[in-house]
């Protein structure tokens, strides 16, 4: 069987939509007020750092991400609307991610399965994350 190559497509201006979708899929068990109380408007990943969802952290999160079937997934950021769609992403590794350390715009990054079954989040804080959430 021929292996398909990882394909990255820019999907400009999808950031707002994807952040909203992420919130619907992974934080809908919290009320709007509860989300505000943990500063999710500042960083979606506060859902994990405030322990408001069952998630894996650090090396366990990375391992879970690498083990996922990644046929298609989106990648987006906290503060900008740049976003990407990755197809044939089964070989996607941490090194392939468009994450730029110490960059205000490209270091709070969210990878979300196209079917919204899981998410992998990298943060700008070295003592927080990465995080991995698997939906039931």
């Amino acid at each position: 069987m021929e292996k398909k190559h990882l394909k990255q497509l820019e999907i400009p201006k999808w950031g707002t939509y994807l952040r909203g979708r992420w919130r619907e899929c992974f934080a809908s068990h919290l009320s709007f007020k509860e989300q505000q109380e943990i500063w999710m408007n500042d960083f979606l990943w506060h859902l994990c750092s405030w322990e408001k969802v069952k998630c894996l952290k650090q090396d366990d999160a990375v391992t879970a991400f690498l083990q996922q079937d990644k046929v298609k997934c989106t990648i987006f950021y906290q503060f900008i609307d740049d976003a990407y769609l990755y197809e044939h992403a089964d070989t996607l590794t941490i090194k392939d991610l468009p994450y730029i350390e110490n960059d205000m715009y490209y270091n709070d990054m969210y990878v979300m399965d196209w079917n919204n079954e899981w998410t992998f989040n990298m943060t700008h804080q070295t003592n927080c994350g990465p995080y991995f959430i698997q939906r039931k």
Side-chain angles (χ1 to χ4, degrees):
M1 180 194 280
E2 183 181 326
K3 195 162 188 135
K4 296 182 180 180
H5 295 288
L6 178 66
K7 184 177 181 181
Q8 175 188 337
L9 302 168
E10 287 186 44
I11 45 176
K13 301 182 182 175
W14 272 48
T16 300
Y17 167 76
L18 291 170
R19 286 187 295 275
R21 186 75 185 128
W22 191 97
R23 195 182 287 253
E24 286 173 26
C25 293
F26 301 103
S28 63
H29 62 286
L30 298 179
S31 69
F32 180 73
K33 182 180 178 193
E34 290 170 317
Q35 291 181 27
Q36 286 183 309
E37 289 172 351
I38 62 169
W39 306 97
M40 274 188 61
N41 289 340
D42 293 337
F43 298 102
L44 295 175
W45 55 262
H46 280 179
L47 181 68
C48 299
S49 65
W50 283 74
E51 299 181 349
K52 298 296 183 182
V53 67
K54 183 179 176 183
C55 66
L56 298 174
K57 301 172 186 169
Q58 300 174 339
D59 290 342
D60 291 337
V62 171
T63 299
F65 168 70
L66 294 174
Q67 291 175 347
Q68 295 306 302
D69 288 331
K70 296 181 286 289
V71 176
K72 191 187 293 188
C73 57
T74 56
I75 296 177
F76 58 98
Y77 302 93
Q78 187 69 53
F79 296 115
I80 58 174
D81 283 338
D82 291 358
Y84 302 94
L85 171 63
Y86 280 77
E87 295 178 327
H88 315 299
D90 55 324
T91 62
L92 186 65
T93 68
I94 301 297
K95 292 184 282 184
D96 297 322
L97 297 174
Y99 173 87
I100 303 172
E101 194 171 344
N102 299 320
D103 185 294
M104 180 175 147
Y105 298 111
Y106 293 95
N107 67 3
D108 288 297
M109 184 191 69
Y110 303 84
V111 181
M112 186 167 60
D113 167 60
W114 186 255
N115 296 319
N116 309 309
E117 296 297 322
W118 56 264
T119 184
F120 176 72
N121 317 316
M122 294 180 69
T123 77
H124 70 278
Q125 293 187 358
T126 56
N127 61 334
C128 292
Y131 298 108
F132 181 87
I133 305 169
Q134 179 83 51
R135 285 179 69 194
K136 300 267 186 240

